[in-house]
Amino acid sequence: MAKNVATASASAPVVADKKRNQWKEVWRRLKQNKMAMLGLGILVFMVIIALSADLLFPKGFDDQMISRRFQLPNSEYWFGTDNLGRGILDRMVHGARVSLSIGLFAVTISIVFGGLLGAMAGFYGGKVDNIIMRSLDVLLAIPSILLAISIVSALGGGLFNVMLAVGISSIPGYARIVRASVITLKGQEFIEAARAIGASDKRIILRHIIPNALAPIIVQGTLGVAGAILSAAGLSFIGLGLAPPNPEWGAMLSGGRQFIRDHWPMTLFPGLAIMITIFALNLLGDGLRDALDPKLRN
Amino acid sequence: MSRKPLLDIKNLNVHYITHEGTTKAINDLNLALYPGETLGLVGETGAGKTTTALSMMQLVPDPPGKIISGEILYHDQDLTKLSEHELRKIRGNQISMIFQDPMTSLNPIMTVGDQIREGILLHQKVDMATATKRASDMLEVVGIPMERYNEYPHQFSGGMKQRVVIAIALSCNPEILIADEPTTALDVTIQAQVLQLMENLKKDFNTSMLMITHDLGVVANVCDHVAIMYAGTVIEHAEKHMLYRTPKHPYTQGLFGSIPNVEENVDRLKPIMGLMPDPTNLPTGCTFHPRCPHAMDICQVEFPRITRLNDEHWVRCHLYSADEEVSHE
């Protein structure tokens, strides 16, 4: 088809590297948000510490010695020791790897699958909607911790299976959120306009609907990380998650529960770690949502 | 008629079927669009103009919408019988559409350039860089500097957005452009600019256009032929000058009668008495007969056939079918 466009043609340089520009633009806007950068800073710090745990805390997470148990924070054990004489800080740093990856990976699973299922259900409606949402309702009817327990006991323990179990058990929640925003979005005129230029359903869902439905998912996702860490802790607590010597924030928290009256560091520090992580993720999530919304750009 | 229409709608019936009842949106509609010309589709709100446009794109929401019968012929193929896959190749590429409200017909989180590029990428086998370049050229064509390629819809005014929508619609050089009240949402000064732009582009791109409007002024400006719609059917289809000089259907006459005239200082306008019929419960026979000043007995019983007055003018009205029969006998 011959293009009879006879106008200026030196446009290539203007828009050639525009994809990169768009991400640069998001990054620039994110940088302006000080709270978001604080959140990002905390997260990066935690990840770095977790990655270099062996280097910084060579004692490891299972250096037991009953004679030095229940120490309060001191110069050698900054956060004190637990009921088996292991350094709480050492265990937390090693546990950060597990907890952070469980939190992030489990939420990724639930966002991806929940998002796609919810988008399909909302977009097609009718039978598809009924089949998907009723199946998810079955999952929703089972308490999510119970669901995670049954998945782990079916698949066996181990880090990966725990993440999978926690991720799967929160799919229905995300699917519901996405479905609701897709239903409002699909009636909008720009979706019809996309159809009118010949876009396929797949393209409409992936390029037009999901990006517009992203904001509530980001917020829910950042909160979900906390839920995931705690669910994983619940699993460890009943012996279905990671095997005991392996540290994990949730497990440390619930392990310290029985000593909470006599020895506070065992619950305080892991709890703080979880709280600060969630706080940082929330700050980052909020900032990201604003940075991704072109209307709020300044 | 000697010329072959580019798009020919024959006896189209579209119903919206819901639990509350069946809405007969389009009833025995006939419409012909000729190459290179602009056809104005005029009617009141609820006359079925937008449904007609959506039928041409095969985008009538189903459910509840259903094309009951009729043909939409385009290049010897019936659009109502094509598969979704074949339709996607036509939509945006050969037939494209401009929506009524530019405020809502652009994706708020995609840059305008990307939205123009999307259609090009979908229909033309070009790489990203070429598509990007064509998209920015299209921006220039509609009078927006290409530096604004990376901006988002909310950074544009209403008129600018409608230009972007026009650029999207024309980006693949379609044969037919359906404009669904493209200027209704714009203020009057911008309306003129946008109409002028569409008119010029239509000539440059040699596109045929279906202009849906309820504004007879717009019709007088840009259209070559006019089809007047009432209660889901075209009741009069004529060359513009013939229609304005000698409107035949009582409804058309009523429409022109209800335009205020500056030169005659009248106290009251002459409205058409009554209201549009309820599409779930259309009157028998001619759908206009309850409001028609010339209603006859036959009008309550029989849906009027098309009466050809000449090559460029036909009307669905018993007043003239009687004439025709007399003249034939």
Side-chain angles (χ1 to χ4, degrees):
Chain A
M1 196 180 293
K3 258 327 242 190
N4 38 11
V5 176
T7 42
S9 51
S11 66
V14 180
V15 285
D17 52 358
K18 52 161 295 298
K19 262 276 104 66
R20 208 183 60 218
N21 276 343
Q22 261 173 22
W23 288 110
K24 251 189 188 163
E25 184 63 25
V26 168
W27 173 236
R28 194 185 63 77
R29 270 180 278 158
L30 190 64
K31 269 198 299 194
Q32 286 176 348
N33 187 335
K34 292 210 177 58
M35 294 313 276
M37 291 317 286
L38 175 68
L40 186 65
I42 295 173
L43 285 179
V44 168
F45 174 74
M46 283 188 165
V47 170
I48 290 174
I49 295 278
L51 286 178
S52 49
D54 292 324
L55 232 69
L56 296 172
F57 297 88
K59 283 201 245 4
F61 53 82
D62 52 356
D63 180 30
Q64 302 185 13
M65 192 186 286
I66 297 296
S67 63
R68 62 160 187 263
R69 66 184 187 158
F70 294 135
Q71 286 185 12
L72 290 176
N74 55 50
S75 58
E76 195 188 352
Y77 295 100
W78 293 357
F79 287 179
T81 56
D82 66 3
N83 56 330
L84 296 172
R86 301 171 293 197
I88 292 178
L89 180 59
D90 303 72
R91 282 178 62 74
M92 275 170 57
V93 168
H94 283 91
R97 296 176 176 183
V98 181
S99 289
L100 288 180
S101 41
I102 286 181
L104 297 176
F105 190 76
V107 167
T108 311
I109 290 179
S110 16
I111 286 185
V112 169
F113 289 98
L116 282 178
L117 286 172
M120 272 158 63
F123 187 75
Y124 291 107
K127 270 193 197 122
V128 183
D129 186 21
N130 264 325
I131 292 171
I132 293 178
M133 292 321 286
R134 294 303 81 77
S135 322
L136 290 177
D137 281 349
V138 173
L139 290 187
L140 210 56
I142 309 168
S144 66
I145 190 72
L146 207 59
L147 186 64
I149 289 172
S150 37
I151 295 172
V152 170
S153 40
L155 297 175
L159 184 58
F160 182 74
N161 287 344
V162 170
M163 296 194 237
L164 208 60
V166 173
I168 290 174
S169 65
S170 46
I171 284 179
Y174 291 92
R176 288 211 158 267
I177 295 172
V178 175
R179 174 176 173 271
S181 21
V182 168
I183 285 177
T184 50
L185 279 171
K186 80 166 176 182
Q188 299 211 3
E189 212 168 30
F190 70 87
I191 300 297
E192 201 177 9
R195 229 185 267 274
I197 64 165
S200 60
D201 287 352
K202 192 180 105 198
R203 193 182 181 87
I204 290 177
I205 291 180
L206 292 179
R207 296 262 296 164
H208 295 278
I209 288 189
I210 288 187
N212 272 295
L214 216 53
I217 305 177
I218 290 178
V219 174
Q220 176 73 11
T222 51
L223 288 170
V225 173
I229 291 177
L230 290 177
S231 303
L235 289 178
S236 317
F237 183 64
I238 54 171
L240 281 172
L242 289 181
N246 288 307
E248 186 247 304
W249 293 347
M252 290 171 70
L253 187 67
S254 50
R257 206 183 45 164
Q258 57 193 111
F259 307 106
I260 195 166
R261 287 187 174 197
D262 315 307
H263 191 59
W264 52 267
M266 280 184 74
T267 39
L268 178 70
F269 292 114
L272 269 182
I274 295 177
M275 198 199 85
I276 290 172
T277 311
I278 305 317
F279 179 62
L281 275 167
N282 276 337
L283 290 181
L284 182 64
D286 271 0
L288 208 55
R289 186 194 53 191
D290 292 350
L292 284 171
D293 185 349
K295 274 189 201 128
L296 295 175
R297 92 158 154 197
N298 34 24
Chain B
M1 290 200 193
S2 49
R3 291 176 304 157
K4 192 172 180 298
L6 186 56
L7 188 98
D8 201 0
I9 303 183
K10 289 180 174 164
N11 300 319
L12 184 71
N13 282 283
V14 180
H15 295 176
Y16 289 108
I17 300 164
T18 59
H19 295 301
E20 284 87 47
T22 302
T23 306
K24 293 176 177 164
I26 305 284
N27 307 295
D28 271 326
L29 177 129
N30 286 266
L31 198 66
L33 179 63
Y34 292 92
E37 74 162 33
T38 302
L39 173 68
L41 188 61
V42 182
E44 290 171 65
T45 307
K49 304 184 300 272
T50 302
T51 305
T52 308
L54 291 177
S55 313
M56 290 165 76
M57 302 286 285
Q58 290 293 301
L59 281 176
V60 177
D62 176 17
K66 267 255 174 312
I67 294 183
I68 303 293
S69 61
E71 300 179 311
I72 302 174
L73 295 174
Y74 171 70
H75 284 301
D76 298 322
Q77 49 188 352
D78 184 356
L79 293 182
T80 60
K81 296 199 171 62
L82 291 186
S83 71
E84 187 62 24
H85 182 72
E86 291 166 307
L87 284 168
R88 277 212 297 274
K89 284 189 195 148
I90 292 178
R91 284 180 202 144
N93 193 20
Q94 284 154 304
I95 306 180
S96 60
M97 185 159 175
I98 297 173
F99 286 87
Q100 188 167 351
D101 189 355
M103 309 297 164
T104 55
S105 54
L106 290 171
N107 185 338
I109 58 162
M110 246 170 121
T111 66
V112 293
D114 279 0
Q115 301 196 43
I116 300 173
R117 190 179 60 183
E118 188 174 23
I120 299 172
L121 283 174
L122 279 170
H123 295 296
Q124 298 180 7
K125 293 191 176 65
V126 294
D127 59 35
M128 201 58 124
T130 321
T132 309
K133 192 185 154 317
R134 277 193 200 162
S136 38
D137 287 345
M138 275 315 297
L139 271 181
E140 293 275 340
V141 168
V142 296
I144 297 173
M146 65 175 75
E147 286 73 29
R148 303 195 67 179
Y149 184 101
N150 282 324
E151 292 188 12
Y152 291 90
H154 71 276
Q155 291 165 296
F156 286 71
S157 67
M160 296 279 262
K161 277 187 210 167
Q162 195 61 295
R163 286 164 190 263
V164 174
V165 173
I166 292 171
I168 294 173
L170 290 175
S171 62
C172 291
N173 204 353
E175 276 190 294
I176 299 176
L177 178 64
I178 303 171
D180 185 1
E181 306 198 20
T183 56
T184 313
L186 307 174
D187 60 52
V188 182
T189 46
I190 306 298
Q191 273 188 15
Q193 285 179 20
V194 168
L195 284 177
Q196 190 60 49
L197 174 74
M198 289 176 66
E199 187 67 6
N200 292 343
L201 291 177
K202 198 203 103 191
K203 284 195 191 101
D204 292 351
F205 286 71
N206 194 27
T207 308
S208 313
M209 186 153 80
L210 179 76
M211 171 71 81
I212 297 176
T213 180
H214 51 240
D215 186 340
L216 287 166
V218 170
V219 172
N221 253 329
V222 297
C223 298
D224 304 309
H225 278 69
V226 187
I228 308 282
M229 262 190 105
Y230 184 78
T233 193
V234 172
I235 47 142
E236 186 159 8
H237 194 300
E239 196 275 325
K240 175 174 70 184
H241 296 98
M242 283 184 202
L243 188 87
Y244 275 69
R245 252 179 249 128
T246 54
K248 292 292 185 188
H249 197 284
Y251 177 68
T252 319
Q253 291 168 350
L255 271 188
F256 284 109
S258 51
I259 301 174
N261 190 336
V262 188
E263 276 139 39
E264 294 167 38
N265 205 353
V266 286
D267 291 337
R268 293 179 136 255
L269 293 173
K270 282 187 235 87
I272 306 172
M273 299 312 284
L275 289 172
M276 275 281 274
D278 174 6
T280 55
N281 185 19
L282 287 176
T284 54
C286 173
T287 46
F288 187 60
H289 83 258
R291 300 170 73 184
C292 183
H294 309 293
M296 303 177 290
D297 290 342
I298 188 171
C299 298
Q300 297 174 25
V301 193
E302 204 179 305
F303 188 68
R305 288 175 297 118
I306 289 175
T307 308
R308 289 200 180 282
L309 302 169
N310 60 47
D311 268 0
E312 308 258 11
H313 198 163
W314 60 253
V315 62
R316 264 191 201 275
C317 182
H318 287 301
L319 285 175
Y320 304 97
S321 57
D323 285 0
E324 190 186 46
E325 271 155 22
V326 170
S327 65
H328 277 299
E329 277 161 14

